[in-house]
Amino acid sequence: MKVTTIMIAMFLAFQLQAQDPFLQKNDRTIEQFAQKITKTYNKQLALNGEQPLLFQKKVEEFLIREKKIRTNFKGTEMLNLIYKLRITETGEMANILTRPQFNLYKKIKPEIQPLDITESENFQGEGK
């Protein structure tokens, strides 16, 4: 019984670490890019108090996840996963931003953080 309890506790500890952006492997370029993105948003959102740091850490967390997707997937599958990731990111920003800030964030996000278009996508219905 003790062994099972210890195993479950260890498993949960590893799961929590995997989701903590501070424990995820990070490189300086992602952190710098997150700072740049945060500054761009801040010009329009007027972040205050702890919001800039929370916003930056959230952006950084999702940039790390996006980098993993870009490394492991290609083409339409990669684009679909990034799209789902961006939806999740937008939802989590609601916990950091005020309602007016969040509404503006949703409006300006496609301009500041646009999705990619895969090379193999030809929109086959066009031109016919």
Side-chain angles (χ1 to χ4, degrees):
M1 182 68 175
K2 287 183 181 181
V3 173
T4 305
T5 305
I6 292 172
M7 295 285 284
I8 291 172
M10 288 177 56
F11 176 75
L12 289 174
F14 286 120
Q15 287 292 20
L16 291 174
Q17 282 183 340
Q19 294 181 9
D20 186 350
F22 295 107
L23 298 175
Q24 292 179 6
K25 288 189 178 179
N26 186 3
D27 59 37
R28 187 77 175 132
T29 53
I30 289 178
E31 184 179 348
Q32 290 172 339
F33 192 52
Q35 288 173 349
K36 181 180 175 182
I37 290 172
T38 302
K39 285 180 185 178
T40 303
Y41 277 110
N42 194 17
K43 290 175 186 174
Q44 296 185 47
L45 297 177
L47 302 173
N48 57 47
E50 292 183 6
Q51 282 181 318
L53 181 60
L54 294 172
F55 191 94
Q56 180 184 324
K57 290 301 176 188
K58 187 60 67 178
V59 168
E60 192 174 334
E61 172 187 340
F62 279 90
L63 286 174
I64 292 168
R65 291 181 187 182
E66 184 174 328
K67 183 177 179 181
K68 288 179 184 177
I69 290 171
R70 288 180 185 280
T71 301
N72 296 319
F73 299 94
K74 299 290 179 214
T76 305
E77 184 178 16
M78 176 191 74
L79 192 60
N80 288 335
L81 289 169
I82 291 172
Y83 176 74
K84 290 175 185 176
L85 185 69
R86 296 280 178 93
I87 290 171
T88 303
E89 178 184 28
T90 300
E92 290 191 21
M93 287 300 185
N95 297 327
I96 297 171
L97 303 171
T98 64
R99 178 152 320 268
Q101 286 174 324
F102 182 66
N103 290 336
L104 180 57
Y105 168 77
K106 290 189 300 185
K107 225 183 236 185
I108 64 175
K109 185 175 181 178
E111 298 167 17
I112 296 173
Q113 292 178 280
L115 283 176
D116 293 342
I117 296 177
T118 61
E119 292 177 21
S120 63
E121 235 173 32
N122 289 334
F123 300 105
Q124 297 173 356
E126 290 183 18
K128 291 187 178 179

